[in-house]
Amino acid sequence: MAPASDADLIPLIRKLESIAQLADAERQAILSLPANIRAVDARQDIVSEKDRPSHCCLVLSGWVCRYKLLDQGKRQILSYHVPGDLPDLQSLHLAVMDHSLATVTASRLAFIPHENMRDAILRFPNLGAALWRDTLIDSAIFREWMTGIGRRSAQARIAHQLCEMYMKLEAVGLAQQHRCELPITQSDIADGLGLTNVHVNRSLKVLRSRGLLTLRGRELVIHDWSGLTQAAEFDPTYLHLEPRAA
Amino acid sequence: MAPASDADLIPLIRKLESIAQLADAERQAILSLPANIRAVDARQDIVSEKDRPSHCCLVLSGWVCRYKLLDQGKRQILSYHVPGDLPDLQSLHLAVMDHSLATVTASRLAFIPHENMRDAILRFPNLGAALWRDTLIDSAIFREWMTGIGRRSAQARIAHQLCEMYMKLEAVGLAQQHRCELPITQSDIADGLGLTNVHVNRSLKVLRSRGLLTLRGRELVIHDWSGLTQAAEFDPTYLHLEPRAA
DNA sequence: CGTCGTATTGAATGGGTTCAAGTAGCGTGG
DNA sequence: CCACGCTACTTGAACCCATTCAATACGACG
């Protein structure tokens, strides 16, 4: 647990600028937010269901995910988050966690007190709008996942998820040329898509054999972007990636 | 299309007070929002995917739903909305609709210009917080639906949905004693849960035979609330129904 | 009383699961 | 440098929940 230096909060600025326009004063306000930095191992809970967090978590490096657990150990992963994301921003207005937040890989996290977030939002309504917009995009992604889980075939779900991950990473400069790091297991993919790891494995094999992608070690390579988006019925509108005066 | 009188916006106040605390000035600000009232038949689109709405829609009476359409006419219903709800509030910060909004029953709707919403939010940050909180609760409900569709059995999904609907209606005074109006078809339920209408029918039959509920005509009666919540693994935390100073 | 939307039931099919048994990859320590 | 052990990945075979297709019943309403 160490205090943050200015440079630590740069991923947050990059992220917000991928979805909204910020003024200098607003960028400055972000940089001067107080934060404690913590390094966390892979597969550790950060915040748990029923907790009442007093800080917002900002991902500086690594991947984290939100999830719910049901009876008999069934797990549903709700979202993945990468550097620049604020995966529990909702806790600013929803006191009790209705899900858990955990690291996927080893990560560096910054914790920003709620009060300082609230204060910055009051002083910079446009910054508040950008953050609100961020939670709304989150919401849009939930809707898309719901649609996939409810109505798409296993292959299309997987293809869709990979398209989304690539585009989100590209938007913050963490991917290019249809390649990116993908540090999640097939069981993680399964738990995000409402499938079993076995079936994810089989479906990935088909996608591979169709020449659409390769997924080895922790690297995803999309060989045929247009084919993959077609297999996925992927339309990126829901990511709302055009920065916009909020 | 008629201008609204003050009384028209009362459902919105009731709704917001079910999730947040409002000051007098804020209630007043809501009542003085300009709005156009429109009566719409059942099963009509209000806003469509790709639209760029300039108004927020407030439900005054009737039920509406959000949905997405996929290839081959597959439909996923994303949420249901009842009087007091602002089902496209997200359009305030997301210019393009990533889904459609339609009436389920004949409805009265109020349309409030975005600029007036924005203005009220700037003047009353606490009102803005309440609205933000509302969209965050929406988000929490999406997460819960996703979990259900991904990981619950058909029976549990249906039971869960009915518990949720009852609680949401009760919270705004539209239901009591474990009875409520439920003006949706079995096909609607199916499209919200990622099932077929046939299977919803069969599963409802089982829930009925287990003595948990009856669903006839447009009325839902829950005979065994505790049994139903158990069958559903229903935990209302995610509805965040305790009004809270935002 | 006929008609249209909704609900109900049956029978066959299938996508995805479950259970089980390997195999590959990789960090660690002897 | 290789053996060990762990985790993730891969594959096969049987099974099952939910789908699909099709036919019938109900019920509200003109």
Side-chain angles (χ1 to χ4, degrees), chain B residues 29-211:
Chain B
I30 292 171
L31 289 177
S32 60
L33 283 168
N36 284 314
I37 311 288
R38 193 144 57 95
V40 182
D41 285 345
R43 308 282 164 192
Q44 305 299 309
D45 271 15
I46 302 165
V47 191
S48 304
E49 207 170 324
K50 307 286 181 192
D51 281 358
R52 297 172 160 267
S54 56
H55 293 67
C56 282
C57 170
L58 165 65
V59 183
L60 300 179
S61 73
W63 281 44
V64 311
C65 73
R66 298 197 262 185
Y67 70 94
K68 291 201 190 215
L69 283 181
L70 275 72
D71 281 1
Q72 307 153 18
K74 280 177 292 184
R75 179 175 68 146
Q76 177 67 45
I77 289 183
L78 305 164
S79 62
Y80 291 103
H81 296 276
V82 298
D85 286 343
L86 289 161
D88 65 350
L89 184 51
Q90 91 286 333
S91 64
L92 216 49
H93 291 295
L94 301 181
V96 181
M97 291 291 290
D98 54 55
H99 59 276
S100 299
L101 181 64
T103 55
V104 175
T105 66
S107 305
R108 281 184 76 235
L109 307 173
F111 291 88
I112 307 168
H114 280 172
E115 49 190 316
N116 299 96
M117 291 292 288
R118 274 192 253 273
D119 177 61
I121 290 166
L122 275 178
R123 284 188 299 126
F124 299 97
N126 183 54
L127 176 57
L131 293 171
W132 189 354
R133 178 169 156 92
D134 184 46
T135 62
L136 290 170
I137 294 174
D138 238 52
S139 225
I141 296 174
F142 292 147
R143 287 191 290 268
E144 190 64 39
W145 282 37
M146 203 193 302
T147 305
I149 298 170
R151 290 292 181 230
R152 274 190 248 269
S153 70
Q155 274 183 54
R157 272 185 248 186
I158 295 170
H160 200 280
Q161 180 102 154
L162 297 176
C163 288
E164 175 184 310
M165 283 174 170
Y166 175 76
M167 283 214 75
K168 277 186 65 177
L169 288 171
E170 196 191 42
V172 292
L174 292 172
Q176 45 198 313
Q177 294 172 331
H178 298 140
R179 290 165 172 269
C180 62
E181 206 195 349
L182 200 87
I184 63 179
T185 66
Q186 294 183 356
S187 294
D188 292 329
I189 296 176
D191 283 347
L193 298 176
L195 297 167
T196 58
N197 55 356
V198 173
H199 197 58
V200 166
N201 184 279
R202 289 196 236 269
S203 305
L204 272 174
K205 187 177 169 182
V206 176
L207 292 176
R208 232 182 293 137
S209 76
R210 288 171 62 184

Side-chain angles (χ1 to χ4, degrees), chain A residues 49-50 52 66 68-71 74-78 89-99 118 121-122 125 128-129 131-133 135-147 149-153 187 190-196 233 235 237-238 240 242 244 246, chain B residues 49-50 52 66 68-71 74-78 89-99 118 121-122 125 128-129 131-133 135-147 149-153 187 190-196 233 235 237-238 240 242 244 246:
Chain A
E49 206 169 326
K50 307 287 182 191
R52 298 171 160 267
R66 298 197 261 185
K68 291 201 191 215
L69 283 182
L70 275 72
D71 281 1
K74 281 177 290 183
R75 179 175 69 147
Q76 177 68 44
I77 289 184
L78 305 164
L89 184 51
Q90 90 285 334
S91 64
L92 217 49
H93 291 296
L94 302 181
V96 181
M97 290 292 290
D98 54 56
H99 61 276
R118 275 192 254 274
I121 290 166
L122 275 178
L131 292 171
W132 189 353
R133 177 168 157 92
T135 63
L136 290 170
I137 293 174
D138 239 50
S139 224
I141 295 175
F142 292 146
R143 288 191 290 270
E144 190 63 40
W145 282 37
M146 202 193 303
T147 306
I149 299 170
R151 291 291 181 230
R152 274 191 248 268
S153 71
S187 294
D191 283 347
L193 298 176
L195 297 167
T196 58
E233 275 187 63
D235 173 348
T237 305
Y238 75 98
H240 299 275
E242 285 155 47
R244 172 169 183 252
Chain B
E49 207 170 324
K50 307 286 181 192
R52 297 172 160 267
R66 298 197 262 185
K68 291 201 190 215
L69 283 181
L70 275 72
D71 281 1
K74 280 177 292 184
R75 179 175 68 146
Q76 177 67 45
I77 289 183
L78 305 164
L89 184 51
Q90 91 286 333
S91 64
L92 216 49
H93 291 295
L94 301 181
V96 181
M97 291 291 290
D98 54 55
H99 59 276
R118 274 192 253 273
I121 290 166
L122 275 178
L131 293 171
W132 189 354
R133 178 169 156 92
T135 62
L136 290 170
I137 294 174
D138 238 52
S139 225
I141 296 174
F142 292 147
R143 287 191 290 268
E144 190 64 39
W145 282 37
M146 203 193 302
T147 305
I149 298 170
R151 290 292 181 230
R152 274 190 248 269
S153 70
S187 294
D191 283 347
L193 298 176
L195 297 167
T196 58
E233 273 187 65
D235 172 349
T237 306
Y238 75 98
H240 299 274
E242 285 154 48
R244 173 172 183 250

Side-chain angles (χ1 to χ4, degrees), chain A residues 7-18:
Chain A
D8 285 322
L9 295 180
I10 287 177
L12 177 54
I13 292 184
R14 191 178 48 185
K15 162 62 187 276
L16 289 179
E17 290 196 317
S18 79

Side-chain angles (χ1 to χ4, degrees), chain A residues 71-86:
Chain A
D71 281 1
Q72 306 152 19
K74 281 177 290 183
R75 179 175 69 147
Q76 177 68 44
I77 289 184
L78 305 164
S79 61
Y80 291 103
H81 296 275
V82 297
D85 285 343
L86 290 162

Side-chain angles (χ1 to χ4, degrees), chain A residues 98-125:
Chain A
D98 54 56
H99 61 276
S100 299
L101 181 63
T103 55
V104 175
T105 67
S107 305
R108 280 184 78 235
L109 307 174
F111 292 89
I112 306 168
H114 280 172
E115 48 189 318
N116 298 96
M117 291 291 289
R118 275 192 254 274
D119 177 61
I121 290 166
L122 275 178
R123 285 188 299 126
F124 299 97

